[in-house]
Amino acid sequence: MIDKRTRIKIAIQKSGRLTAHSLELLEQCGLKYTRDRDQLIGYGENMPVDLLFVRDDDIPGLVRDDVCDLGIAGLNIVEEKRLEFLADGIEQPYTQVYALDFGHCRLSFGYPEDGPVQAIEQLPGKRIATSYPWIVRDYLASRDLQADVVEFSGAVEIAPSLGRSDVICDLVSTGTTMKANRIREGETILESECVLIKTPVDIPPEKLDWVDRLLQRIEGVMQVRESKYIMMHAPKDALADIAALLPGAESPTVLPLEGVDDKVAVHVVCRENIFWETLEALKAVGASSVLVVPIEKMLA
Ligand code: PRT
Ligand code: ZN
């Protein structure tokens, strides 16, 4: 039995598109764990953290019910369940803490190429197959459109050819699935990525310190993904130009160069990715010996 009072429980997808990235994120936060025999629970060895491996659809409910303190799931699922809970009068089933920058996809309408609907204005009176009935109904209501929403739990793209719908609304990443079924992607109603959600209940004091530490580490991991440490030699009078060229840069460290009066060494952390164009622009204002180094860990 897991001690709920002192150990943090995190719900993650058992096996699917989000599993590897979710585990990688937690491992980057320093978590080491062992999985039980039936692989349903991961016991943290070096932190008071346990992982619950479940279907992604169950993650919002486990967090809402405070069975888990935190959960990692796609915004598509988190938002779908939020609207469903809202219909039951539950206003804040969880708080969304971070967007995690993986699992990117979009929820879009799909119009069969030879079907009767080719734009949202033609939706009234038609049937829409989707696994996201609450999001679709919410979208239709916001546009004052009346259409029938037919719930499908999977293989939504075959609903039109089965004669079950005129249109679909489904997740898209590359667009290959819709194309293969001769469906044209239409309007996107939700841009999704994986998010971290937190229980609506106050975290007990016994766990608060570790929850805060974990959230801070996740923030650190997110920041270093894009961040770079940049070193260069630069003319003293080009420092303002250089600062303007570096995206998301913090105050640079400026160091003297032995035996050189008009140049300095500049070290700076950039919070965004650095492209070749930026390096070329730095060179154009006089920078030389520019090094861009990845950052492994960062604690704000
Ligand atoms: O068993 P469990 O319920 O946990 O898994 P699942 O089968 O419900 O989910 P899974 O692993 O397929 O997806 C988990 C999450 O990944 C989703 O909730 C999204 O947040 C995210 N994600 C990202 C996607 C996609 N990209 C995606 N392309 N989820 C599903 N798809 C499907 C889509 O439904 C369609 O069938 O892939 C097809 C479209 O892909 P393209 O590349 O052909 O456009
Ligand atoms: Zn699922």
Side-chain angles (χ1 to χ4, degrees), residues 151-265:
E151 189 169 349
F152 261 66
S153 56
V156 177
E157 63 279 358
I158 61 168
S161 55
L162 294 177
R164 299 288 306 278
S165 78
D166 305 296
V167 175
I168 66 167
C169 191
D170 197 14
L171 296 178
V172 182
S173 55
T174 60
T176 316
T177 307
M178 281 204 187
K179 262 198 206 113
N181 287 279
R182 304 194 59 242
I183 293 173
R184 184 177 61 78
E185 185 182 351
E187 296 78 2
T188 293
I189 66 173
L190 180 81
E191 291 284 353
S192 182
E193 69 185 280
C194 208
V195 296
L196 179 77
I197 53 172
K198 187 166 135 222
T199 172
V201 175
D202 285 342
I203 305 271
E206 294 88 344
K207 291 199 275 194
L208 197 56
D209 179 42
W210 262 108
V211 169
D212 286 346
R213 283 171 78 174
L214 192 63
L215 293 182
Q216 211 173 50
R217 289 184 188 188
I218 291 176
E219 203 176 326
V221 170
M222 299 295 300
Q223 277 179 1
V224 298
R225 276 196 189 146
E226 293 269 284
S227 299
K228 295 283 179 286
Y229 193 77
I230 302 172
M231 295 178 268
M232 71 191 95
H233 291 174
K236 277 182 181 164
D237 56 10
L239 286 178
D241 289 339
I242 286 171
L245 284 170
L246 294 170
E250 302 191 330
S251 352
T253 307
V254 178
L255 304 160
L257 283 172
E258 187 71 26
V260 185
D261 283 339
D262 56 341
K263 283 192 171 185
V264 283

Side-chain angles (χ1 to χ4, degrees), residues 13 55-57 77:
Q13 193 186 24
R55 286 198 59 196
D56 64 347
D57 315 67
I77 295 279

Side-chain angles (χ1 to χ4, degrees), residues 10-13 18 21-22 25 56 59-60 63 70-80 82 94-105 190-198 215 218 222 225:
I10 307 179
I12 67 169
Q13 193 186 24
L18 307 176
H21 282 295
S22 305
L25 173 69
D56 64 347
I59 293 171
V63 176
L70 300 170
I72 298 178
L75 182 62
N76 47 306
I77 295 279
V78 166
E79 184 60 8
E80 175 70 10
R82 186 189 69 78
Y94 25 75
T95 49
Q96 194 178 308
V97 198
Y98 296 122
L100 299 173
D101 199 22
F102 62 83
H104 288 272
C105 56
L190 180 81
E191 291 284 353
S192 182
E193 69 185 280
C194 208
V195 296
L196 179 77
I197 53 172
K198 187 166 135 222
L215 293 182
I218 291 176
M222 299 295 300
R225 276 196 189 146

